[in-house]
């Protein structure tokens, strides 16, 4: 069953909306043919249309439905951003629709097309033609002119052909209602798909911004470590040079101090790279809440005040788990809710961090990345463990545990 439904579950929300919309427009081809094309053969005894003319009318509607369906498919590609808007094809469909309507009206006036059949053919062709055309338009004020132009043009042509006034009014009202309905339906579908893709792109940008913010954080940490120490090294080196030129013994002491600062800087840089600098876990949890909430998710963060009293190395390791888990929630899947729970206390033997979110495909997306492996290395330094994987029901669960022995239970002064 998972193989049969995987083609649907592995799609993003935007992909699911597009697939549903695209097949709806494909179904419109069948609707136009069945609902309006077959009108050429209906009417019973009152239908005076010759059989050959009915067949020609049916084939014309079929050809028009196929071309309109092709335009709708190309227009949806333009809405999703995969190709440019098919302007030339839209012009061709407009001309074909106008020519088809003129053909049916001339057949109604001069060729023997029954008066009970012609209105259905004309209204159906115009309605579906207008619906496909609005997919190529982005602004609503342009879309609203399409059904009005179709109704005015059709009724004007009917009046010019000398048909009765009641038919002129009937064509105007029928065309306006049918075209307005399909214009609204198709226009709303295009707007919805465009909005969903815009939200999907926004989510991707937010994920990139989260990664960029983490890089900026690392850059600031590295600058804080190296900036002051390099300035001190430069000053003491310059002082040592001046003392050496004067043959003062203090030059040796200054170079020893430079050596000490350089070694200290090397150690601090190593701490920054490995992520072992002291971090406030509570700040990381609140930061995760803010980032996920800004991305439109229902994020719930639960932690006790005792979490602030955890040892520095435990806070640092779990802080990196929170950062990596937040980034994964933003970049992978299509999460709508996320739970982050930290349980710790002076009486507990372990501290547990749980991160769980929905919107994850049941099928594995590929081999595990290096992010989880890095987290396991950081947790191993404090004897911690990490478990991550699907939790059923389209949810993903990450669980980190760090034991608190007597040495680690000492509260920071």
């Amino acid at each position: 069953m998972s193989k049969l439904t995987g083609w649907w579950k592995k799609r993003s929300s935007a992909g699911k909306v597009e697939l549903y919309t695209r097949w709806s427009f494909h179904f419109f081809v069948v609707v136009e043919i069945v609902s309006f094309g077959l009108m050429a053969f209906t009417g019973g005894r009152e239908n005076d249309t010759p059989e050959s003319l009915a067949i020609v009318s049916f084939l014309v509607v079929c050809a028009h439905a196929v071309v309109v369906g092709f335009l709708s498919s190309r227009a949806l590609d333009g809405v999703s951003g995969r190709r440019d808007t098919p302007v030339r094809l839209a012009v061709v469909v407009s001309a074909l629709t106008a020519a088809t309507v003129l053909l049916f009206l001339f057949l109604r006036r001069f060729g023997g097309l029954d008066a009970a059949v012609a209105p259905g053919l004309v209204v159906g062709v115009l309605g579906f033609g207008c619906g496909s055309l609005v997919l190529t338009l982005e602004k609503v004020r342009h879309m609203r002119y399409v059904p009005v132009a179709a109704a005015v043009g059709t009724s004007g042509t009917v009046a010019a052909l000398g048909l009765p006034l009641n038919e002129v009014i009937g064509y105007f009202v029928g065309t306006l209602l049918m075209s307005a309905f399909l214009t609204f339906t198709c226009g709303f579908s295009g707007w919805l798909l465009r909005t969903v893709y815009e939200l999907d792109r926004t989510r991707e940008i937010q994920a990139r911004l989260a990664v960029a913010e983490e890089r900026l954080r690392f850059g600031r940490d590295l600058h804080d470590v190296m900036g002051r120490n390099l300035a001190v090294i430069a000053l003491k080196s310059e002082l040592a040079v001046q003392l050496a030129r004067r043959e003062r013994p203090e030059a040796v002491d200054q170079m020893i101090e430079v050596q000490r600062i350089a070694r200290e800087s090397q150690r601090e840089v190593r701490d920054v790279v490995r992520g072992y600098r002291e971090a406030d876990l509570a700040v990381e949890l609140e930061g995760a809440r803010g980032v996920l909430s800004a991305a439109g998710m229902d994020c719930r963060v639960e932690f006790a005040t005792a979490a602030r009293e955890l040892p520095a190395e435990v806070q640092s390791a779990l802080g990196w788990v929170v950062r990596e888990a937040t980034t994964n929630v933003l970049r992978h899947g299509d999460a709508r809710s996320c739970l982050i729970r930290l349980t710790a206390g002076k009486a507990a033997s372990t501290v547990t961090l749980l991160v769980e979110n929905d919107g994850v495909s049941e099928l594995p997306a590929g081999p595990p990345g290096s992010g989880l492996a890095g987290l396991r290395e950081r947790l191993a330094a404090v004897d911690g463990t990490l478990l991550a994987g699907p939790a059923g029901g389209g949810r993903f669960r990450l669980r980190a545990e760090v034991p608190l022995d007597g040495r680690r239970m000492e509260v920071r002064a």
Side-chain angles (χ1 to χ4, degrees):
M1 181 62 68
S2 60
K3 293 183 178 180
L4 295 177
T5 59
W7 64 273
W8 174 261
K9 291 184 178 180
K10 68 181 181 181
R11 293 179 179 270
S12 63
S13 295
K16 292 176 181 178
V17 174
E18 181 187 357
L19 184 64
Y20 171 78
T21 305
R22 189 177 294 276
W23 279 101
S24 297
F25 280 100
H26 291 340
F27 183 68
F28 278 1
V29 176
V30 180
V31 172
E32 182 178 357
I33 294 174
V34 174
S35 299
F36 297 96
L38 293 179
M39 283 186 176
F41 303 101
T42 61
R45 298 179 180 179
E46 298 178 356
N47 189 352
D48 297 331
T49 304
E51 183 177 356
S52 59
L53 187 58
I55 295 176
V56 171
S57 300
F58 174 75
L59 294 178
V60 169
V61 173
C62 291
H64 180 269
V66 172
V67 175
V68 166
F70 183 68
L71 172 62
S72 300
S73 179
R74 294 290 297 272
L76 291 178
D77 289 339
V79 170
S80 60
R82 283 192 292 271
R83 64 177 65 189
D84 296 333
T85 303
V87 178
R88 294 183 179 179
L89 183 59
V91 174
V92 172
V93 171
S94 300
L96 177 62
T97 302
T100 303
V101 170
L102 287 175
L103 174 63
F104 289 150
L105 292 179
F106 270 94
L107 291 177
R108 162 68 186 94
R109 181 65 178 85
F110 305 108
L113 189 62
D114 191 83
V117 174
L121 298 177
V122 171
V123 169
V125 167
L126 279 173
F128 284 97
C130 292
S132 64
L133 288 177
V134 297
L135 288 176
T136 62
L137 304 176
E138 295 184 3
K139 298 181 179 180
V140 177
R141 66 174 180 269
H142 295 161
M143 297 180 185
R144 63 187 181 186
Y145 295 134
V146 174
V148 177
V152 172
T154 302
S155 59
T157 304
V158 173
L161 291 175
L163 292 173
L165 179 61
N166 61 335
E167 290 196 30
V168 175
I169 298 175
Y171 276 103
F172 177 83
V173 174
T175 301
L176 182 62
L177 293 178
M178 185 66 179
S179 300
F181 172 74
L182 285 176
T183 295
F184 173 79
T185 302
C186 299
F188 178 79
S189 298
W191 171 83
L192 178 62
L193 183 59
R194 190 178 291 109
T195 302
V196 169
Y197 267 106
E198 187 65 27
L199 292 175
D200 191 63
R201 285 189 288 268
T202 302
R203 182 184 294 272
E204 182 180 355
I205 292 174
Q206 288 175 337
R208 293 179 180 177
L209 288 176
V211 175
E213 183 179 359
E214 184 61 32
R215 291 175 178 174
L216 289 175
R217 185 203 302 268
F218 177 82
R220 288 193 300 267
D221 291 346
L222 190 61
H223 177 270
D224 293 340
V225 169
M226 296 300 297
R228 178 182 60 84
N229 291 347
L230 288 177
V232 174
I233 288 174
L235 291 175
K236 288 187 173 295
S237 298
E238 183 179 355
L239 178 59
V241 171
Q242 297 296 331
L243 293 174
R245 287 176 179 176
R246 299 176 185 178
E247 298 182 356
R248 298 284 298 273
E250 292 86 350
V252 177
D253 296 334
Q254 295 296 328
M255 292 308 300
I256 292 175
E257 183 68 13
V258 167
Q259 185 181 30
R260 184 191 66 79
I261 296 175
R263 290 176 177 174
E264 182 180 352
S265 299
Q266 185 180 18
R267 178 183 59 80
E268 291 181 350
V269 170
R270 190 179 297 114
D271 289 343
V272 172
V273 174
R274 292 180 180 177
Y276 291 154
R277 297 187 67 199
E278 182 177 350
D280 191 339
L281 181 57
V283 173
E284 295 297 334
L285 291 171
E286 291 297 335
R289 187 209 305 270
V291 171
L292 296 178
S293 298
M297 302 181 196
D298 180 16
C299 181
R300 190 168 78 255
V301 178
E302 302 174 357
F303 66 97
T305 56
R308 300 180 183 273
E309 301 177 351
L310 291 173
E313 64 270 18
V314 176
Q315 287 208 39
S316 180
L318 293 179
W320 272 99
V321 174
V322 173
R323 295 180 192 177
E324 181 68 22
T326 303
T327 303
N328 288 339
V329 172
L330 287 170
R331 299 186 63 180
H332 306 296
D334 186 22
R336 293 181 296 274
S337 64
C338 180
L339 170 65
I340 303 177
R341 178 184 294 130
L342 179 69
T343 56
K346 294 183 179 180
S349 60
T350 60
V351 56
T352 303
L353 175 66
L354 175 68
V355 181
E356 185 173 331
N357 63 277
D358 62 356
V360 179
S361 173
E362 297 291 341
L363 298 179
S370 59
L372 296 180
L375 293 181
R376 289 189 173 93
E377 293 178 0
R378 291 188 172 92
L379 291 172
V382 290
D383 300 329
T385 58
L386 179 71
L387 297 176
R395 302 186 68 83
F396 187 87
R397 181 179 298 158
L398 183 146
R399 184 184 181 92
E401 292 186 353
V402 178
L404 297 176
D405 54 22
R407 175 179 59 85
R408 292 199 182 114
M409 284 299 295
E410 295 178 0
V411 180
R412 293 178 298 171

